Amino acid sequence: MSPLLSGTGLVRNYGATPALRGIDFAVGEGEIVAVTGPSGCGKSTLLHCLSGILRVDAGTVTYRDQDIGLWSEAARSRLRRTEFGVLFQFGQLVPELTAVENVALPLLLAGSGRREARRTALDWLDRLGVAELAEQRPGAISGGQQQRCATARALVTEPRVLFADEPTGALDVLTGEQVLGQIVRVAREQGTAVVLVTHEARVAAYADREVALRDGVVDPTGLGLGVAG
Amino acid sequence: MKTATLARLAVAGNRTDVLRTVLTALSALLATVAMLCAATVLSITGWADRYSVTLLVEPGLRPGVAATLILVSLPVLALAGQCIRLGAPARDRRLAAIRLAGATPGEGVLIATAETAVASLLGSVAGLVAYLVARAAIGDQHTLPTDVLPPAPVIAFLVLLVPALAAAIGALLMRRVIVTPLGVVRRVRKRGPRPWPGLLIAVGLAMFASPFQEHLPVHLPHWLPHSKNMTYVLLGGGVLLTMAGVVLGVGWISHTAGQLLRRYGRGPATLLAGQRLITDPWNGSRTMAALLAAVIAGSVALGYRANLATTFRYYDLDNQIMGYPYGRGMSAGAEPSFYFNAIRLVMVAVGLSAAVAAAGLLIALVESIVARRRAYASLTATGVPRRTLSAAILWQTLTPLVPALLLAMAAGDALLRLVPTHYDLGRSYRECLADNDALAHCHTPAALHLPNVLNVPVPWAELSLLGAGALLAVLVAVGVGVLVLRSSTDLEELRVG
Amino acid sequence: MSTAHVLLGLLAGGPRHGYDLKRAHDDRLPRAKPLAYGQVYATLGRLERDGLVSEAGQDREGGPDRTSYEITDDGRQHLDTWLSAVEPPAPYVTSELFSKVVVALLAADAGRARDYLVAQRAAHVSRMRELTTAKSEPEASVGDVIAADYAIGHLEADLRWLQTTLTRVADLQKEVTS
């Protein structure tokens, strides 16, 4: 059975700087995979390429047996409001909208009516334990609460794949643990696959398996042994 | 995306966004009022004796008045469209977050321009209301055409035109801004703007010159009809092309000024200014363009006034040479004061446009300062003196402005130089002799203590005043901008989340 | 002598029997090596000799001697002093891991060193995963969670140290061979 999402021979450069130098990656249904490595190894770039936010310069990204690299920017954007969920370290909640509006945003963009989207959003906020913050703006709540709202938003469309890039990077240990625990719990309940980018071993320990990167390639040893550069 | 969603996303905003909406609406209001007035003037039919303002009475002059009014509304419209860049960084971040949540690029631009369109629509409707209220308030007088109403379809069209134009200008200004889910990237030009607008200026001047071909080596091609309408088209087209050339050439001027500053300037202020100009030559140029167009129009008007004055004097002198008694011989179609009033009206319009352009420049300047306030605050915190930053702003604004102003005044002057610039009194005397008119009593110019040739003077004093006025308006705008800089470099700004 | 201090701490709540102490120790510190009875009594003997605990009474309820012990004032004083002293950052590392890594990097051949290090890391990572799963379970008690945290923290520190050491040694080798 072919994996849900896979990338083969992925290459991506930023101008003259290579970020990914030929990476093979695969994640199956309901699997949690951690992508680890030191800073600058290309983990975030890999995440952006797999989720269709960035186009690869070479290689193919296959989702459900379709090459999404061939899709238009609009089509790939639409993926993010249906089958993919994204959760970043910062900067994804719209500061001028309330928490519930933020969570409902992907649904609204996909064409849902306001009342229905709002109901679903409130339900998700409740599942993540922040229902009482529904009418607050992101600027008025703490970092941990913001990340929980962002998690709700990433999961509100019941995506097949959740892309999380250092979701607990800005949080203290206990708050981060709570957020991670909730992500893992919901992912297991819904059968959502998770691609979790982190540089911390304790966060990677929440995953079923680990893919270590170093300098744009996969590092099977995890310690940079036998990898040039 | 449903309309309700679009509306909610379009109006989501903080204080700066509210300010932007208000400014856009205000500009739309002014533009609509100006256009409605122009439409009103054009709706007056026939010889309207009932008005005391002669400009409105004659049917041939009304298009000119309407055209002036429309020309005044253009910088205001440009201001409305330019407002889309106010508070841009926060709005761009918001758009990036919305894109991350799954909006397509088209939907992103739609949300941004929807805000401008809605604000402009509110403004234009308010403008309509203001116009109707003013009409009722002024009542039945004989100076302003308050008894005439443009036809309803025209009113509806104008009220809808303003938001459409504002949204179009806004969309145009957004075309270089790529909103990706990871943040906003501005497409950087690899090469700077090219000087091809110079070609536009040359063509425009040639077009303007062609009706006066007996004075110049430029001749109209034979296959073009030599009619009065054709002359107007060539004259008007020539002026417009010249203006367009100056306006579009501003980008190249800014870019080149930036390169010069960077190469020859010493000190951090010129370095900062030069690099900013190179990276974004069109930043302040849009408002500068409106200012330049106003200056060109003003130069042409001043030159025309000098020409008129000389022409009237020529008529008088010619009559004297011919020996005609007062009341006969050559004269203009109406009292000189009529023409001079018309020119005064144009100068007022030019002044207004310049003020609006300076206001636009101030807005653009304030917006760019506020957007960079954290960078400025940290620069100040590390010890860069405020006067260096202020100096950088001055350099950045004035270095392209001074040559551009000179170019605008030169273009205006060139336009008026193409019109006949001297009157040969000697020829009048010879014509008098040749005519053999019984009533004429020919005099030589010398006998009347007159020179042989009457030159149209270049109104240096008034032109300098115009240029200085424009420069002053810009300096005031920059001064206010520097004050804003002062408050933006407070260390409090470093703590703003 | 931390076993003695743990026992003192357990007695501070009230007198207990020897086997109670062993059970309490194992409950509170589930992932540590379980305490042997012999060790409990030996430690209690030392503490009594030092005057930090005293016998509280004897029960003979159907079974072997069940002496219960209680903490003395001296004992409480000793406990206070120990609790208020800062643990010095370990100057002498006695861990097995440390010796192995050092030997692997500086003495063994490159191939064997690499194999050992990769296997060691994989073992650490796998153990961390087990611990994380265990502590995320809904039935996990507070004791389980904080014990898992302790272990995870140390495993993470080991990994980090491993990585840093590798980089240092690589730099050193580069310096030496350049």
Side-chain angles (χ1 to χ4, degrees):
Chain A
M1 196 175 74
S2 61
L4 180 64
L5 173 69
S6 67
T8 35
L10 301 180
V11 174
R12 167 79 199 189
N13 301 315
Y14 289 118
T17 322
L20 301 179
R21 301 190 288 146
I23 294 199
D24 294 332
F25 181 88
V27 60
E29 293 258 11
E31 201 186 5
I32 305 183
V33 179
V35 179
T36 58
S39 38
C41 68
K43 328 187 274 292
S44 294
T45 310
L46 178 63
L47 191 96
H48 296 155
C49 289
L50 287 172
S51 58
I53 292 175
L54 285 181
R55 269 214 166 94
V56 283
D57 294 331
T60 38
V61 178
T62 312
Y63 172 65
R64 303 230 273 182
D65 300 319
Q66 293 192 57
D67 182 0
I68 65 174
L70 299 173
W71 289 9
S72 66
E73 176 73 40
R76 283 181 283 122
S77 302
R78 279 192 276 270
L79 268 180
R80 288 198 293 282
R81 62 194 194 207
T82 46
E83 317 212 22
F84 287 175
V86 285
L87 179 59
F88 286 176
Q89 194 176 349
F90 309 107
Q92 53 181 126
L93 292 181
V94 178
E96 292 89 358
L97 297 176
T98 62
V100 65
E101 284 171 333
N102 263 296
V103 175
L105 191 56
L107 299 171
L108 290 172
L109 288 171
S112 286
R114 276 188 80 192
R115 213 168 300 171
E116 194 189 311
R118 204 188 144 83
R119 215 177 319 135
T120 317
L122 279 172
D123 185 47
W124 273 99
L125 282 173
D126 191 39
R127 281 173 82 162
L128 284 159
V130 280
E132 69 274 9
L133 303 174
E135 302 302 330
Q136 306 255 39
R137 297 220 166 157
I141 61 182
S142 76
Q145 291 166 328
Q146 283 180 28
Q147 276 306 73
R148 280 196 256 180
C149 294
T151 309
R153 197 191 81 178
L155 295 168
V156 74
T157 53
E158 298 185 3
R160 302 287 294 278
V161 187
L162 172 66
F163 297 92
D165 191 347
E166 311 261 17
T168 55
L171 306 175
D172 63 83
V173 172
L174 279 180
T175 320
E177 193 182 276
Q178 282 170 351
V179 171
L180 270 175
Q182 274 161 344
I183 292 174
V184 170
R185 180 174 51 88
V186 173
R188 299 264 188 239
E189 279 170 16
Q190 313 263 101
T192 309
V194 180
V195 180
L196 176 63
V197 165
T198 179
H199 67 276
E200 291 183 83
R202 69 166 60 229
V203 171
Y206 279 86
D208 299 325
R209 84 186 149 86
E210 179 198 34
V211 172
L213 298 187
R214 183 172 279 258
D215 286 331
V217 290
V218 174
D219 171 19
T221 65
L223 289 165
L225 298 170
V227 178
Chain B
M1 158 164 60
K2 289 210 155 77
T3 325
T5 309
L6 179 62
R8 175 70 189 103
L9 290 175
V11 300
N14 50 23
R15 263 197 325 241
T16 319
D17 300 294
V18 170
L19 180 69
R20 179 174 67 236
T21 313
V22 165
L23 275 175
T24 313
L26 215 60
S27 318
L29 191 155
L30 290 174
T32 312
V33 167
M35 286 197 179
L36 283 171
C37 291
T40 314
V41 165
L42 287 173
S43 306
I44 308 174
T45 47
W47 192 274
D49 269 358
R50 54 189 186 280
Y51 302 123
S52 51
V53 179
T54 0
L55 278 170
L56 296 172
V57 171
E58 287 191 44
L61 298 172
R62 287 198 288 262
V65 176
T68 315
L69 281 169
I70 292 179
L71 279 175
V72 168
S73 67
L74 286 180
V76 181
L77 264 179
L79 195 67
Q82 196 218 331
C83 285
I84 204 173
R85 299 305 305 163
L86 257 188
R91 201 266 315 282
D92 290 346
R93 274 197 295 274
R94 186 165 66 237
L95 284 177
I98 295 177
R99 284 279 336 265
L100 189 66
T104 65
E107 285 168 346
V109 174
L110 189 64
I111 293 173
T113 48
E115 186 202 287
T116 310
V118 166
S120 309
L121 186 63
L122 285 175
S124 69
V125 167
L128 175 64
V129 168
Y131 166 78
L132 292 172
V133 164
R135 253 179 106 244
I138 295 176
D140 196 18
Q141 288 188 1
H142 295 293
T143 43
L144 293 171
T146 49
D147 52 342
V148 177
L149 197 64
V154 171
I155 296 185
F157 171 71
L158 284 177
V159 168
L160 291 175
L161 179 70
V162 169
L165 280 179
I169 296 176
L172 197 70
L173 288 174
M174 290 282 292
R175 82 190 182 288
R176 293 225 159 264
V177 176
I178 309 178
V179 184
T180 70
L182 300 174
V184 172
V185 169
R186 212 148 290 186
R187 218 182 280 157
V188 178
R189 287 171 210 263
K190 290 273 162 59
R191 315 161 300 132
R194 297 260 144 239
W196 55 262
L199 203 65
L200 269 184
I201 298 179
V203 170
L205 287 177
M207 273 180 73
F208 189 81
S210 41
F212 309 107
Q213 46 192 322
E214 61 264 22
H215 296 270
L216 293 156
V218 179
H219 291 283
L220 272 177
H222 297 291
W223 43 267
L224 274 180
H226 289 236
S227 68
K228 210 161 183 219
N229 283 333
M230 193 56 180
T231 313
Y232 280 142
V233 162
L234 284 172
L235 287 176
V239 171
L240 276 176
L241 274 185
T242 312
M243 272 194 186
V246 172
V247 161
L248 291 172
V250 155
W252 179 81
I253 292 177
S254 294
H255 184 86
T256 316
Q259 284 178 323
L260 288 173
L261 271 181
R262 199 173 61 170
R263 194 176 307 166
Y264 297 114
R266 284 180 289 136
T270 47
L271 204 71
L272 263 177
Q275 193 54 49
R276 288 242 185 88
L277 283 173
I278 292 176
T279 321
D280 198 2
W282 289 103
N283 188 14
S285 305
R286 280 171 232 123
T287 38
M288 213 197 320
L291 192 71
L292 294 173
V295 164
I296 293 180
S299 310
V300 171
L302 282 174
Y304 189 57
R305 185 168 71 181
N307 195 323
L308 270 183
T310 317
T311 310
F312 292 150
R313 186 158 150 71
Y314 168 64
Y315 289 158
D316 281 341
L317 295 179
D318 189 81
N319 291 340
Q320 284 188 346
I321 289 175
M322 298 289 209
Y324 288 141
Y326 184 73
R328 292 209 52 190
M330 283 208 282
S331 75
E335 287 294 320
S337 59
F338 161 72
Y339 292 99
F340 288 122
N341 278 339
I343 300 228
R344 203 165 292 151
L345 184 71
V346 171
M347 290 310 290
V348 165
V350 162
L352 276 176
S353 306
V356 166
L361 182 73
L362 176 62
I363 290 176
L365 200 59
V366 166
E367 188 261 322
S368 80
I369 290 175
V370 166
R372 294 197 181 80
R373 63 178 184 273
R374 189 160 307 152
Y376 278 129
S378 42
L379 275 177
T380 315
T382 57
V384 177
R386 282 207 188 99
R387 59 172 183 280
T388 308
L389 297 174
S390 313
I393 291 179
L394 269 172
W395 279 110
Q396 181 189 349
T397 316
L398 291 180
T399 318
L401 182 69
V402 169
L405 265 181
L406 289 174
L407 178 64
M409 289 198 289
D413 187 50
L415 283 172
L416 61 96
R417 287 276 115 209
L418 295 167
V419 175
T421 54
H422 59 267
Y423 294 100
D424 192 353
L425 288 172
R427 199 177 76 173
S428 305
Y429 175 65
R430 288 190 291 278
E431 279 175 2
C432 175
L433 289 178
D435 267 351
N436 247 325
D437 194 338
L439 286 168
H441 191 69
C442 303
H443 303 272
T444 60
L448 295 169
H449 304 286
L450 294 170
N452 262 348
V453 172
L454 200 59
N455 279 320
V456 174
V458 177
W460 292 119
E462 286 92 342
L463 275 178
S464 323
L465 212 60
L466 179 67
L471 202 60
L472 187 67
V474 169
L475 281 174
V476 166
V478 170
V480 175
V482 166
L483 283 175
V484 171
L485 177 70
R486 192 160 288 275
S487 76
S488 292
T489 51
D490 278 341
L491 297 178
E492 278 297 312
E493 297 296 335
L494 284 173
R495 292 168 52 85
V496 171
Chain C
M1 294 287 352
S2 57
T3 316
H5 290 106
V6 171
L7 292 184
L8 276 179
L10 287 171
L11 283 174
R16 285 178 196 260
H17 302 123
Y19 91 95
D20 262 351
L21 282 173
K22 178 222 156 37
R23 207 168 41 80
H25 176 282
D26 290 350
D27 279 350
R28 298 288 167 86
L29 297 137
R31 305 274 176 196
K33 226 163 80 169
L35 211 51
Y37 280 107
Q39 198 177 352
V40 173
Y41 286 112
T43 314
L44 282 174
R46 271 202 302 280
L47 288 171
E48 200 182 353
R49 187 195 63 217
D50 293 343
L52 303 177
V53 307
S54 59
E55 285 187 15
Q58 293 215 344
D59 275 346
R60 274 180 195 276
E61 275 181 35
D65 274 354
R66 288 152 146 261
T67 322
S68 66
Y69 293 84
E70 69 178 356
I71 190 168
T72 63
D73 286 348
D74 273 349
R76 278 191 208 280
Q77 183 67 47
H78 194 95
L79 192 62
D80 278 349
T81 316
W82 182 75
L83 282 172
S84 51
V86 172
E87 285 294 316
Y92 306 111
V93 182
T94 55
S95 140
E96 196 73 15
L97 171 73
F98 176 72
S99 333
K100 269 204 189 157
V101 169
V102 167
V103 166
L105 286 177
L106 297 178
D109 63 279
R112 188 161 330 156
R114 185 203 142 98
D115 290 342
Y116 161 66
L117 288 168
V118 172
Q120 181 66 67
R121 181 182 185 272
H124 264 61
V125 165
S126 164
R127 180 81 184 113
M128 280 180 73
R129 225 174 263 150
E130 281 170 25
L131 287 165
T132 308
T133 314
K135 85 174 187 186
S136 305
E137 266 156 37
E139 316 90 55
S141 69
V142 176
D144 284 333
V145 172
I146 60 178
D149 275 343
Y150 185 81
I152 289 174
H154 280 254
L155 289 174
E156 195 179 23
D158 284 348
L159 282 178
R160 208 175 304 144
W161 171 77
L162 198 59
Q163 188 62 71
T164 316
T165 310
L166 274 170
T167 319
R168 281 199 210 284
V169 173
D171 287 347
L172 181 65
Q173 279 178 349
K174 240 183 271 174
E175 243 182 64
V176 167
T177 56
S178 66

